[in-house]
């Protein structure tokens, strides 16, 4: 098995198995939502797509953000702390970076998993079990490299094992340079992180949830993620 890390979605090499990471906060939120009892998360790239999907389905909790700000008219934002108590069966989620990366991966990989530190061991085990080459895809920030996603990708790549590409080896070494996960997430220069203190601490907890969310299907342009 070969393991690769794409530091941005544009760098993907399209391996059979993709593990998408947007650790602060979208993939952590998806993991938390499914572990808490939501049945599925429908990931949309655009706000209008999310609204249209809810209208078509006649159900679903609208959630998401743009540049860390709440979306007018949506019930929830993108904090994993908001998803501990389910408010329905389905979440319809759209975010600045993470949901777009998931939708893109759904169009190219045979299997798509959702990774974070919250489900670190579970997602690494699920990726290994697929039996093919694995690519850990960092959502980044508006198509740019971010330390927090590279850190999380390095932790996942280290647990998966196999033969690492140079980017995967770089991510593993970057991750090893931090004493704690929270230190790795807080190393980012993203100015929006100043508004996310509690969420960063939440997202830095390691292997506290046993779910390994996966792509079930595409519903139009939305990626349906289930536990």
């Amino acid at each position: 098995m070969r393991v690769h890390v794409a530091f941005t979605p544009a760098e993907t090499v399209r391996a059979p198995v993709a593990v998408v990471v947007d650790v602060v906060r979208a993939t952590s939120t998806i993991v938390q939502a499914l572990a808490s009892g939501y049945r599925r998360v429908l990931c949309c790239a655009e706000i209008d797509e999310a609204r249209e999907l809810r209208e078509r389905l006649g159900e679903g909790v609208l959630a998401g953000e743009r540049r860390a700000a709440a979306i007018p008219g949506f019930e929830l934002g993108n904090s994993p702390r908001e998803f501990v108590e389910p408010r329905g069966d389905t979440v319809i989620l759209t975010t600045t970076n993470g949901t777009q990366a998931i939708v893109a991966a759904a169009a190219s990989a045979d299997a798509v998993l959702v990774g974070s530190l919250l489900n670190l061991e579970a997602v690494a085990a699920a990726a290994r079990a697929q039996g093919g080459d694995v690519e850990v895809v960092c959502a980044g920030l508006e198509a740019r490299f971010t330390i927090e996603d590279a850190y999380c990708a390095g932790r996942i790549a280290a647990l998966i094992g196999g033969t690492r590409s140079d980017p995967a080896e770089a991510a593993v070494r970057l991750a090893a340079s931090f004493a704690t996960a929270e230190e790795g997430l807080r190393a980012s220069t993203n100015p929006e992180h100043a508004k996310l203190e509690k969420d960063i601490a939440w997202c830095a907890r390691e292997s506290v949830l046993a779910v390994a969310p996966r792509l079930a299907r595409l519903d139009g342009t939305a990626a349906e993620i289930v536990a």
Side-chain angles (χ1 to χ4, degrees):
M1 180 198 318
R2 185 168 176 81
V3 178
H4 177 65
V5 169
F7 290 116
T8 68
E11 299 172 35
T12 57
V13 297
R14 301 175 189 261
V17 182
V19 180
V20 180
V21 170
D22 184 3
V23 67
V24 182
R25 299 170 290 171
T27 57
S28 297
T29 292
I30 292 167
V31 169
Q32 183 65 66
L34 292 172
S36 296
Y38 284 99
R39 184 174 66 85
R40 61 179 180 168
V41 178
L42 295 168
C43 295
C44 299
E46 304 297 337
I47 294 171
D48 286 346
E49 290 176 16
R51 290 193 174 113
E52 290 165 7
L53 182 59
R54 210 248 302 254
E55 184 175 350
R56 175 166 64 82
L57 294 177
E59 60 108 5
V61 178
L62 281 175
E65 53 75 34
R66 282 300 180 270
R67 297 187 176 180
I71 299 172
F74 278 36
E75 290 98 330
L76 297 175
N78 185 36
S79 167
R81 296 179 295 119
E82 296 180 89
F83 292 82
V84 174
E85 296 292 335
R87 296 175 56 173
D89 185 62
T90 299
V91 178
I92 301 173
L93 181 70
T94 181
T95 69
T96 308
N97 305 291
T99 57
Q100 296 188 32
I102 289 169
V103 170
S108 61
D110 296 333
V112 178
L113 301 170
V114 174
S116 69
L117 293 172
L118 298 177
N119 70 332
L120 181 61
E121 291 182 2
V123 77
R128 280 197 308 272
Q130 291 290 328
D133 291 349
V134 179
E135 179 173 44
V136 186
V137 181
C138 300
L141 175 64
E142 296 178 347
R144 301 191 303 274
F145 172 91
T146 60
I147 289 177
E148 72 267 24
D149 283 349
Y151 172 84
C152 186
R155 295 294 306 278
I156 293 170
L159 280 178
I160 292 173
T163 302
R164 297 175 195 144
S165 68
D166 281 1
E169 184 64 28
V172 169
R173 295 189 186 197
L174 179 148
S177 71
F178 293 99
T180 67
E182 190 164 345
E183 204 177 287
L185 300 194
R186 292 188 185 279
S188 172
T189 59
N190 183 350
E192 293 169 0
H193 280 196
K195 300 178 282 186
L196 305 176
E197 287 291 314
K198 291 182 179 179
D199 283 345
I200 290 171
W202 187 282
C203 295
R205 298 175 304 139
E206 297 180 33
S207 299
V208 294
L209 301 175
V211 297
R214 58 180 175 81
L215 174 71
R217 66 188 182 102
L218 285 171
D219 185 333
T221 58
E224 181 178 330
I225 306 298
V226 299

